[in-house]
Amino acid sequence: KAGVTQTPRYLIKTRGQQVTLSCSPISGHRSVSWYQQTPGQGLQFLFEYFSETQRNKGNFPGRFSGRQFSNSRSEMNVSTLELGDSALYLCASSPGPGVANVLTFGAGSRLTVL
Amino acid sequence: QKEVEQNSGPLSVPEGAIASLNCTYSDRGSQSFFWYRQYSGKSPELIMFIYSNGDKEDGRFTAQLNKASQYVSLLIRDSQPSDSATYLCAVTDYGGSQGNLIFGKGTKLSVKP
């Protein structure tokens, strides 16, 4: 059974550019969450999607957006990149939004903003 | 703002000893608590979750929850070098979904052979 697949794994952008990250959940999983991980702030929640609907959004500026498609795949977009957006972006999937549904994380997309 | 606090470590224990990892949380309404392990360069993986006050055991791992003190801990018995990793404490935020967790910054554990 394939795990959570994130692409690209590594990318380098410059300030002001935008970036789109992709996440394919485990087959049959309908919930996708995104987290940002930095050495200073740790893991911080970005978004949670279920059945193409955003259920929750973390405390990030509007430059961060996301969406989920009918096949449960998800994308997140960061516009007008800033140096502070350099981070590991982790996607996690679960069967559904219930508290008993365990999250499985992907390997992450490491973004470097120059 | 809801917060989860952990000692950043590093916590160093000898092989075979008990490692004790601690976590406090600010929101008294938090209901569900999780411990994740993250090896260097890897993504987090769930070790245990606990909902009720008291202890929950799974193999060498025991999670302890005290809601009155807003305190969660993880004990690792017979620590092995392979347990060396960063341990992340997490609690559920609004809606109680595992997809929306508040994480601590993690405690780095080093188990010396």
Side-chain angles (χ1 to χ4, degrees):
Chain A
K1 192 175 186 180
V4 179
T5 303
Q6 292 189 245
T7 56
R9 291 290 315 280
Y10 303 91
L11 65 166
I12 299 173
K13 294 286 187 178
T14 57
R15 280 180 298 174
Q17 288 187 309
Q18 74 165 16
V19 65
T20 299
L21 308 177
S22 178
C23 173
S24 294
I26 291 173
S27 178
H29 284 194
R30 297 170 62 196
S31 281
V32 173
S33 297
W34 288 89
Y35 289 83
Q36 180 196 66
Q37 188 171 33
T38 59
Q41 298 300 317
L43 263 170
Q44 293 185 287
F45 170 73
L46 281 159
F47 323 98
E48 179 189 12
Y49 289 92
F50 175 69
S51 292
E52 301 178 68
T53 300
Q54 187 179 90
R55 297 187 77 243
N56 291 296
K57 186 177 191 298
N59 188 25
F60 279 83
R63 300 185 296 107
F64 292 79
S65 62
R67 59 179 175 170
Q68 186 181 33
F69 302 96
S70 59
N71 61 358
S72 295
R73 191 177 69 85
S74 178
E75 288 181 348
M76 68 163 284
N77 184 277
V78 187
S79 62
T80 317
L81 283 166
E82 301 177 358
L83 295 179
D85 297 332
S86 294
L88 179 66
Y89 290 87
L90 288 162
C91 168
S93 76
S94 70
V99 69
N101 289 317
V102 174
L103 286 182
T104 302
F105 282 87
S109 292
R110 184 166 295 281
L111 170 65
T112 301
V113 182
L114 302 177
Chain B
Q1 185 170 340
K2 300 172 185 176
E3 293 183 339
V4 176
E5 299 286 343
Q6 295 182 255
N7 189 322
S8 61
L11 173 65
S12 183
V13 300
E15 184 174 356
I18 296 175
S20 178
L21 304 161
N22 305 314
C23 169
T24 59
Y25 58 95
S26 63
D27 182 12
R28 188 171 287 277
S30 296
Q31 296 294 316
S32 305
F33 307 87
F34 305 85
W35 283 100
Y36 282 80
R37 176 177 62 199
Q38 187 173 25
Y39 292 112
S40 180
K42 301 294 185 182
S43 55
E45 56 180 340
L46 182 69
I47 300 174
M48 292 191 69
F49 59 87
I50 186 167
Y51 306 143
S52 304
N53 275 328
D55 295 359
K56 180 181 179 182
E57 188 174 317
D58 184 0
R60 296 187 296 113
F61 299 94
T62 299
Q64 299 175 317
L65 173 60
N66 184 326
K67 288 187 177 181
S69 300
Q70 296 175 239
Y71 177 90
V72 193
S73 66
L74 179 70
L75 301 178
I76 307 175
R77 291 182 300 280
D78 188 24
S79 295
Q80 302 296 310
S82 59
D83 295 326
S84 298
T86 297
Y87 289 80
L88 303 166
C89 173
V91 305
T92 48
D93 197 3
Y94 177 79
S97 167
Q98 274 209 44
N100 177 6
L101 295 173
I102 302 172
F103 281 88
K105 293 182 180 179
T107 298
K108 188 170 184 178
L109 172 67
S110 178
V111 181
K112 303 295 185 183

